[in-house]
Amino acid sequence: MEILWVLMALVMLGFVLLPFLRRRRGVIEQVPPGHPDAADPADYGFAPEEELDVRMPGPDQDLLDVLDLVQHTQDYRAAAQLLAGTETEGELRWQRVQAFAGAAALELQQRPGGVHETPGGQWLRVWRAEAPKDAGGAAVHAEFLVQQAWRTSTPGTDEFRIIMEEARETCGQAALLAPGDPVPYIIELAVARGLGYTQPQFEELWLKILDRAPAHMGAHLAALHYWCEKWHGSRELAMSFAEAAAARAPRGSLLAAMPLFAVFEHLPEVNLVRGFYQSEVVTKAVHGALFAVEAARPGDPMTAHVRHLLIFFLVRSERWAEAMSQLIHVDGHVGALPWTLSADPAAEFAVYRALAVAGYEANGGSPATLPH
């Protein structure tokens, strides 16, 4: 396994060394920077790497404005108001809870506090102290604890278990404060994975989510992890779960993309050569995801998640024009799989973007031929 990842790292290093490429009989070749034939993502209006936003998969200006205000003033009330005005059954509430929790966790990591310094994320502690009955604050606190467990401790250790047990208790509090909200139960899916719920325990939790939001894409992605081979399931169980979700997907739902996420979660266990990405299993999953984004309801915040993963697979499959068609929708934001698995999500995304541009131009494409 370690050798496989080393080989992948070497391949990606090679990609980084090919930021400027040109078209010649459909073959991608290296050219020096400044060469008139160099493929440049900026020609397509794509954002510079240093301006890529790693916090979210797609735009949510209301969230960004509130995050900036909360972090600048350390006053939680704008966050509480935003969550109170976000519908409980939709995807947006889940994403915003994750974003607030992630911001607090990052602040704490950057400023752990000391004798003469207030720890980062103090606004979340004040939120919980001053408004203990606020369902949004309880949900953000539960997600914060989950993220802290994964960030700061190792699964299986006492420290990890203690934090996860506190997260589970806080999930229960959040659920009591908002009985119809699926988010506390979605957060508990990560607790279930970390603490090793039995399959009957997990399925009992999953039924509570289905009762509240049966087509919730974020919940399905969180549940998929449990069924994966690296946690408490297998490749077959994960694919079965994903395919069942896709089969029952209502019109306009993104659940048809679930098999592509299941394939991605098991990539380390399969052949990573080009032929695999052009295989029937990947092609079928990619087509399902393409159908999902085309049929998705306008404004669905989970569409960006699917588009980001499609970029990864379409570039690997050398389907350059289709990769470019996804890029124009999500460029500027990189807070999604697969980029967030990298230590530098923006750099990882930029590599695949450069390859897509190069491949597109190598096959006759140009900024003038790319539909927007």
Side-chain angles (χ1 to χ4, degrees):
M1 182 72 70
E2 288 78 10
I3 293 176
L4 178 60
W5 284 111
V6 169
L7 291 174
M8 287 183 67
L10 291 174
V11 170
M12 295 308 297
L13 179 60
F15 286 165
V16 172
L17 297 177
L18 299 175
F20 296 95
L21 306 106
R22 66 179 176 182
R23 173 167 52 87
R24 178 182 172 185
R25 293 192 299 275
V27 177
I28 300 173
E29 297 182 350
Q30 182 179 358
V31 296
H35 191 284
D37 289 338
D40 187 355
D43 293 340
Y44 296 82
F46 293 148
E49 180 182 331
E50 62 273 15
E51 295 180 11
L52 294 172
D53 193 324
V54 303
R55 295 173 293 181
M56 297 183 300
D60 183 350
Q61 195 58 49
D62 288 342
L63 173 62
L64 288 179
D65 291 344
V66 169
L67 267 176
D68 289 342
L69 179 62
V70 168
Q71 293 186 307
H72 178 70
T73 65
Q74 290 295 295
D75 188 334
Y76 69 88
R77 284 175 291 183
Q81 291 172 0
L82 183 65
L83 285 182
T86 305
E87 65 169 340
T88 57
E89 296 82 7
E91 307 282 352
L92 198 58
R93 183 177 178 83
W94 169 228
Q95 290 200 17
R96 287 174 171 177
V97 166
Q98 287 182 297
F100 285 130
L106 183 59
E107 282 186 40
L108 182 59
Q109 179 183 351
Q110 293 172 341
R111 301 193 311 276
V115 177
H116 303 294
E117 181 185 34
T118 301
Q122 181 68 17
W123 53 269
L124 177 55
R125 286 181 283 276
V126 174
W127 187 356
R128 291 292 285 140
E130 292 187 354
K133 301 298 184 182
D134 183 72
V140 172
H141 184 209
E143 174 64 17
F144 168 82
L145 290 168
V146 166
Q147 293 191 25
Q148 279 296 97
W150 293 110
R151 285 170 186 257
T152 63
S153 55
T154 303
T157 63
D158 287 343
E159 180 185 7
F160 181 86
R161 181 184 55 78
I162 290 169
I163 299 174
M164 279 296 190
E165 290 287 1
E166 184 180 356
R168 176 160 61 181
E169 181 179 346
T170 309
C171 285
Q173 295 170 3
L176 289 174
L177 292 169
D181 188 354
V183 168
Y185 300 101
I186 299 173
I187 297 170
E188 193 179 345
L189 291 173
V191 176
R193 176 162 52 99
L195 294 181
Y197 282 23
T198 65
Q199 290 189 6
Q201 287 175 318
F202 187 86
E203 288 169 348
E204 181 181 354
L205 171 62
W206 181 239
L207 286 175
K208 293 177 182 178
I209 295 170
L210 293 182
D211 285 344
R212 291 161 175 81
H216 199 291
M217 181 68 173
H220 280 79
L221 291 177
L224 177 64
H225 291 295
Y226 178 90
W227 295 112
C228 286
E229 191 170 61
K230 59 190 174 185
W231 287 104
H232 307 292
S234 66
R235 190 182 311 170
E236 291 74 23
L237 284 171
M239 187 56 72
S240 176
F241 174 81
E243 290 177 345
R248 67 171 182 269
R251 184 176 181 83
S253 167
L254 287 160
L255 292 178
M258 284 297 300
L260 189 64
F261 286 87
V263 170
F264 178 76
E265 289 297 332
H266 293 87
L267 281 182
E269 309 299 332
V270 298
N271 190 347
L272 295 174
V273 298
R274 184 182 69 179
F276 167 75
Y277 290 94
Q278 298 174 344
S279 66
E280 181 179 356
V281 64
V282 172
T283 299
K284 181 181 177 181
V286 166
H287 285 169
L290 287 169
F291 169 80
V293 296
E294 289 300 320
R297 291 180 291 271
D300 190 326
M302 293 303 294
T303 306
H305 286 272
V306 180
R307 292 192 189 278
H308 280 290
L309 196 61
L310 273 169
I311 291 166
F312 172 87
F313 278 99
L314 291 169
V315 168
R316 290 288 187 126
S317 304
E318 300 184 5
R319 297 166 64 169
W320 313 114
E322 291 168 290
M324 293 292 286
S325 294
Q326 301 305 316
L327 276 165
I328 62 176
H329 290 287
V330 298
D331 188 77
H333 298 85
V334 296
L337 288 175
W339 327 121
T340 50
L341 296 179
S342 168
D344 190 342
E348 187 84 355
F349 174 84
V351 166
Y352 277 81
R353 185 178 63 182
L355 287 169
V357 170
Y360 183 64
E361 294 190 355
N363 288 275
S366 71
T369 63
L370 182 64
H372 285 74

